Amino acid sequence: NTISFNAAISACETCGEWEMAWQLFSVMAQNGVESRTVTFNAAISACEKGGRWTGALHVFNMMLQSKVEPSAVSFAAAASACEEGEQWEKALQILSVMVQSKVESPATTFNAAISACKICEEWEQALQLFNKMLQSIVEPSTITYSAVIEACEK
């Protein structure tokens, strides 16, 4: 059942067992077990923590195509995966989808996208994101300021 699978996938995420989380997620789909937001979030986070940004984005895209509504956690985990994978353009796409979906934008999602720009030496993009953040209702954090400054140093 869904609750059992969610618990198992979350445990795999916590233990860094992204492969097992992926297998459980796949078994759920194959057996027609309903996936919920928490299911997708755990699978996205497990892939992200396992350094598998492509897997995280695959699960995130499956979520978008399904009838399951992404949460702020979904967007933050997907953006963090992009940061880890040095995929700044994909991080910007995720941020854009988040804004369009009217999900409350956490600073962590902006921070991950800004950090992805920093890693890829896209300082202009980092500044543009920072300006968008300032124009929104999202409050920048110390991490935000540090990432923007570091992006401009490169």
Side-chain angles (χ1 to χ4, degrees):
N1 85 24
T2 302
I3 294 171
S4 299
F5 273 104
N6 288 348
I9 293 171
S10 292
C12 291
E13 172 202 354
T14 302
C15 296
E17 295 291 333
W18 72 270
E19 292 166 315
M20 180 59 72
W22 181 260
Q23 288 175 354
L24 289 168
F25 185 76
S26 298
V27 168
M28 280 183 78
Q30 291 167 0
N31 292 314
V33 178
E34 180 187 10
S35 295
R36 297 184 180 149
T37 302
V38 68
T39 313
F40 283 101
N41 289 351
I44 293 166
S45 292
C47 291
E48 180 256 323
K49 290 177 182 172
R52 304 293 187 230
W53 68 268
T54 54
L57 292 186
H58 180 72
V59 175
F60 180 72
N61 286 326
M62 288 173 66
M63 183 181 208
L64 294 178
Q65 293 170 6
S66 74
K67 59 185 173 193
V68 178
E69 284 291 319
S71 67
V73 172
S74 312
F75 288 105
S80 291
C82 293
E83 175 189 359
E84 294 297 319
E86 300 180 11
Q87 301 296 312
W88 68 273
E89 290 167 313
K90 293 188 185 317
L92 294 182
Q93 290 171 355
I94 289 166
L95 199 57
S96 176
V97 171
M98 182 180 70
V99 170
Q100 291 171 5
S101 70
K102 308 272 193 248
V103 170
E104 187 175 319
S105 307
T108 53
T109 306
F110 275 95
N111 292 347
I114 290 169
S115 291
C117 292
K118 172 192 79 173
I119 290 166
C120 297
E121 299 183 8
E122 293 290 334
W123 64 270
E124 294 103 338
Q125 291 293 330
L127 283 177
Q128 285 181 13
L129 280 176
F130 181 65
N131 284 329
K132 280 185 186 178
M133 191 176 190
L134 293 176
Q135 293 168 5
S136 73
I137 60 168
V138 181
E139 187 72 29
S141 66
T142 305
I143 294 169
T144 310
Y145 292 114
S146 296
V148 171
I149 290 167
E150 289 174 23
C152 292
E153 287 178 342
K154 293 188 173 207

